[in-house]
Amino acid sequence: MGLGVRWTLHGDGRTPAPGAVVRPDERLSWPRTIGLGAQHVVAMFGASFVAPVLMGLDPNLAIMMSGVATVIFLLATQGRVPSYLGCSLSFVGVAAAIRATGGTSATVTGAVLVVGAVLFVAGLAVRRFGARIIHAAMPPIVTGAVVMLIGFNLAPVTAATYWPQDQWTALLVMLFTGLAVVCLRGFWSRVAIFLGLLFGYGISWLFDRVFGKIHSVPGAGPATDHWRLDLSGVGKAEWIGLPSFHAPGFQWSAILVALPVVIALVAENAGHVKAVGEMTGDNLDDKLGTAIAADGAASMLSTAVGGPPNTTYSENIGVMAATRVYSTAAYWAAAGFALLFGICPKFGAIVAAIPGGVLGGITVILYGMIGLLGAQIWINAKVDLSNPLNLVPAAAGIIIGIGGVTLKFTDNFQLSGIALGTIVVITGYHVLRALAPAHMKEQEPLLDEGTSSYDEDSEAMAGTEAAQRAKS
């Protein structure tokens, strides 16, 4: 059984042939491949570095473990599924909810370690029983609602924590990032969050020079006079050193808050595998279970040492589509860069110095985008919201999740927010479906538009695709 670490040179090694793509088992020249690896690291910088900071975790450890996780994923999928693993923004809401109830970094990583374990088991189940086991439990109305409530549950974090630290910087960063996402093209639009961060650093530095210190709450505690951009920690940080590790802690209340993220991760992973398969011309249906399990295993390893969970990262699909290079050799190069960044404390200090106002402007867009991805799942799957079977559980669960509704069982145990909202969506849908009249139970597309090929005709479709490739 190969490990997927051998690549043949594509064409002249400089650019893809006209109309062709550089397949996962091919590569360009090594200098170009290494450059593409660096490009992948930049592409995922915005969210993948911002997410650990928002979760209150060590950014150096986060980037180091993302490199380790990417290696695990590439080996597990035998080099057939090109992907860089980073921290999904779905976890930010979980971390915020856990910390709001007094949870520590150990509590956060312990909760998401359990998520990784459940994701690993889900992957094994998909390998054994097929993707229908996922589709049966999580139809599009469920996955869309859960993703939506996870994203919109974060709105109070931006409104109460980041935006008030520097409202004018936040507003300018929001406007700049929005313009970058919409107006830029190709690779630059994919790194709009990164460009927004750079713009925010520059504006914060300029405002410090022009207006002096700002009087606001610097994240926690009472309002004080402080610099918007404080780089004192960068000068003190070493160039080379290991990040800080810590053991996870486990609390049932935190675990229940985190578990709903599994639904979002399965949907993200399935969409990623299908999208890569369509772009490369390969049928990767047989790798879905392996990819999900690999994400779970990588997340367990990262959180076991105090890092964030790591899963397939969709931003890099844009880089692959723009360059037509799907070589896994580029992802090995990206993993190498991540490991180097991980042992540079000075780099982590720069990330940790992101001004609160900058995070305010960035998170307004990021958190909203997470929530609206749920709506995109509904649209792609053509979910009928005029059907009460879909409308009622989704409506109730989303309001519970976003509004922070609490259901108290005892003095020591209660369900609220994301956990309670997810339970209402899933159980509500399946209970109502069992009781609903026949005309409300019309078959919906499987999971989402991105995985609609997981049906009885998948083998036939694979054969057709293979025949078309042979003709070309």
Side-chain angles (χ1 to χ4, degrees), residues 99-255:
R99 289 187 182 276
T101 59
T104 64
S105 293
T107 310
V108 170
T109 52
V112 293
L113 188 153
V114 175
V115 170
V118 174
L119 190 64
F120 178 75
V121 173
L124 296 182
V126 171
R127 288 191 59 181
R128 174 65 180 84
F129 301 105
R132 285 194 173 277
I133 189 174
I134 299 295
H135 304 319
M138 298 183 300
I141 183 61
V142 170
T143 56
V146 172
V147 172
M148 187 175 291
L149 68 87
I150 287 173
F152 292 156
N153 180 265
L154 292 166
V157 177
T158 292
T161 302
Y162 298 119
W163 191 279
Q165 293 185 44
D166 188 353
Q167 60 176 359
W168 297 113
T169 295
L171 178 63
L172 291 173
V173 170
M174 180 193 73
L175 294 174
F176 177 88
T177 305
L179 288 171
V181 172
V182 174
C183 298
L184 297 181
R185 295 291 182 267
F187 170 74
W188 294 108
S189 68
R190 298 292 174 182
V191 296
I193 301 299
F194 176 60
L195 297 178
L197 287 172
L198 293 181
F199 175 81
Y201 271 100
I203 285 294
S204 297
W205 178 86
L206 179 63
F207 282 3
D208 280 342
R209 304 285 80 76
V210 175
F211 302 112
K213 293 183 178 181
I214 187 173
H215 184 79
S216 67
V217 176
T224 61
D225 292 326
H226 61 91
W227 297 112
R228 296 167 181 83
L229 180 61
D230 182 5
L231 296 176
S232 59
V234 179
K236 299 175 183 177
E238 300 292 336
W239 280 102
I240 299 177
L242 290 175
S244 57
F245 300 93
H246 70 257
F250 301 96
Q251 293 182 9
W252 274 112
S253 57
I255 292 170

Side-chain angles (χ1 to χ4, degrees), residues 16-31:
V21 299
V22 180
R23 296 170 58 80
D25 59 350
E26 298 177 328
R27 64 170 177 84
L28 298 179
S29 65
W30 281 116

Side-chain angles (χ1 to χ4, degrees), residues 60 63-64 237-243 339-349:
N60 273 97
I63 185 60
M64 173 185 285
E238 300 292 336
W239 280 102
I240 299 177
L242 290 175
L339 292 173
L340 290 176
F341 280 131
I343 58 174
C344 179
K346 196 171 288 292
F347 170 79

